[in-house]
Amino acid sequence: MRGDLVRKLAARVAATGLAVLAFLVLALTGATGWGLALAVAALAAAGWERRVRPAADSTAEAVLLAAAVLVGYARRLDAGFDPALVATALVLLGLALLVGPLRQAGDLEIRAANLPVRSWTPLVAARLGDALLALLAVVALAAALALPAWVALLVALAVGAGAGAVAADLAKRRFRPGAGGSAVARALRAHRPEFLLHFSAPPGSEYQVTMWLPYLERIGRPFFVMVREPEFLAPIAAATSAPVVYCPTLKAMDEALVPGLKVAFYVNHGAKNSHCIRFSQLTHVQIHHGDSDKAPSANPVTALFDRNFVAGRAAIDRYARAGVDIPAEKFVVVGRPQVESIEVRRAPATGLANPTVLYTPTWTGHHADANYCSLPVGETIVRGLLARGATVILRAHPYTGQNPASARQLARLTELLAADRARTGRRHVFGAAASRELSLVDCVNRSDALVSDVSGVISDYLYSGKPYAVTDMAGDGDRFVERFPLAGSGYVLRRDAGNLDEVLGLLLDTDPKAAARWGTRAHYLGDFPVESYAEAFLAAARRELEPGWNPPAPRAADTVAEGDSPLSPTATA
């Protein structure tokens, strides 16, 4: 978060500062060449600001730079009054004043992907700011080369004509909407969706949706994904063949919620979920994007939903422990279908000479009481693993880079692993190779043990039956397992990592809690057979779509009582 703030502040200072400097040099000095160069640098800075602050209002900088470039142009031509240059100035001023309102108007339009409609106007409106910056750069180049003013005027008129077409189409959409609604609404009605997934989140959170898309598709009913922020439209559409619809306003949601919809699924507790929950004709189902003992996993907001799909009985107990009163009939235990491809290790693997250990530090969270990040002691953990001859898979949380300190600590760990790989030949995995090229399931299947912070990764890893260690970064000591019961079947690493050698010995050598983990596994992830594990979720989802539909009850997976061996006849697969 702080890293984003620093980048945004730096971009604003660079864009504004260079624009002012360029104007002063061109208006008050005779250094026309230097002034034009500063103007181009200011345009580049403004382009950078648009990358890090997509909603930034750069009207003032655009007007200032247009004035500066035109002053420099007039000096280069040195031909007195030039009507073409005056006309260029008027077009540039008009564009500078219109770009912001047109972009805002375009942002209020419903857009879609994976539907047979073309929403070109909002897309072009969103790029007009870039077009204006490019136009100013062309005019600056024409000034530097002392080209005739009509050259710049023609280019400006071409961009102006495009802006005019966008303005006309947006006005038509606003004041003379079609009788059947927008093209997106008509296409959705033709698609006839039975359910939707509503999604709103900070940038970089699309993984919360993509982990669910294969299972939503396997329900076998037409659906669409409704996103509330424009940056999610393209990446989520690339991950599914289902329609993805961007609904920026309540009016757009009204258009998208076509007849025939029965259920709305949600994967988080985003504030904008309330915009969709107001549609009482739908059944609203929270399916979450992970299961963990973190405080946010017992969010009281969950009580708003009609159904709360949870991985196992442990989630229900978590709400009760947190004092969140939710009627029992709202809970449905469906397992965690994303773990179905995780390979289950039936026999304990102890005393491995060269183990592969997955280390998954989480991020610092929005608030101090949700900061479970172990990166401050990450170097100690990694060095301890390397000293035991372990091959390390380092997979950090996607939000890690939002904190500059965490980003630096993570960079230090990658340096350590890269150096050890070069020295020993051990095939450590980190960076993009661990976070993009491999899925979490791939990382779990490649590893023999896990070191993690309090997070949903532990619940997923639990399915494998393999050992894990949990970091106590809050320094709870004896109360840690009480606050985070899942740690009771793992090995707790103290906040200062002072007991690292002891924990690694238990984790990699003796693993005395191997048998107990099977009971914990059923409690947290549901008691469903391995061969049809995901069917629990699919059946529950289909029941919400057809309340009268009752599939045959699946055979419950055999459980392992505490103290039993996972190799006994009653052991789960």
Side-chain angles (χ1 to χ4, degrees), residues 330-407:
K330 284 194 173 187
F331 287 105
V332 183
V333 174
V334 299
R336 172 106 169 112
Q338 289 81 3
V339 305
E340 66 173 344
S341 298
I342 289 178
E343 298 168 2
V344 179
R345 179 175 291 175
R346 305 188 182 199
T350 56
L352 298 176
N354 301 109
T356 297
V357 179
L358 173 61
Y359 175 39
T360 59
T362 191
W363 68 304
T364 53
H366 290 295
H367 308 288
D369 61 352
N371 181 3
Y372 308 108
C373 178
S374 65
L375 282 172
V377 293
E379 184 171 346
T380 300
I381 293 172
V382 170
R383 287 189 181 279
L385 291 171
L386 296 179
R388 292 184 63 93
T391 297
V392 177
I393 302 174
L394 173 63
R395 183 184 171 93
H397 193 281
Y399 289 175
T400 299
Q402 295 182 2
N403 184 308
S406 294

Side-chain angles (χ1 to χ4, degrees), residues 50 58 94-104 125 128-130 132 163:
R50 284 182 60 80
S58 55
L95 284 171
L97 296 177
L98 282 175
V99 160
L102 288 178
R103 183 194 66 204
Q104 292 170 5
L128 282 177
D130 294 332
L132 177 59

Side-chain angles (χ1 to χ4, degrees), residues 375-465:
L375 282 172
V377 293
E379 184 171 346
T380 300
I381 293 172
V382 170
R383 287 189 181 279
L385 291 171
L386 296 179
R388 292 184 63 93
T391 297
V392 177
I393 302 174
L394 173 63
R395 183 184 171 93
H397 193 281
Y399 289 175
T400 299
Q402 295 182 2
N403 184 308
S406 294
R408 289 191 296 271
Q409 291 157 354
L410 181 61
R412 175 58 182 155
L413 298 188
T414 61
E415 291 173 2
L416 279 175
L417 293 176
D420 187 81
R421 183 169 62 184
R423 184 176 62 256
T424 66
R426 281 182 288 197
R427 302 173 67 85
H428 304 301
V429 185
F430 48 85
S435 60
R436 296 191 185 94
E437 297 173 17
L438 297 179
S439 67
L440 177 60
V441 170
D442 294 330
C443 293
V444 172
N445 288 340
R446 289 190 180 195
S447 65
D448 299 302
L450 169 73
V451 177
S452 183
D453 306 335
V454 175
S455 74
V457 174
I458 302 175
S459 297
D460 289 355
Y461 203 86
L462 178 64
Y463 188 78
S464 71

Side-chain angles (χ1 to χ4, degrees), residues 507-525:
L507 183 72
L508 302 174
D509 293 338
T510 57
D511 190 17
K513 296 184 177 182
R517 275 196 303 276
W518 296 97
T520 304
R521 179 179 182 267
H523 188 54
Y524 272 81
L525 296 172

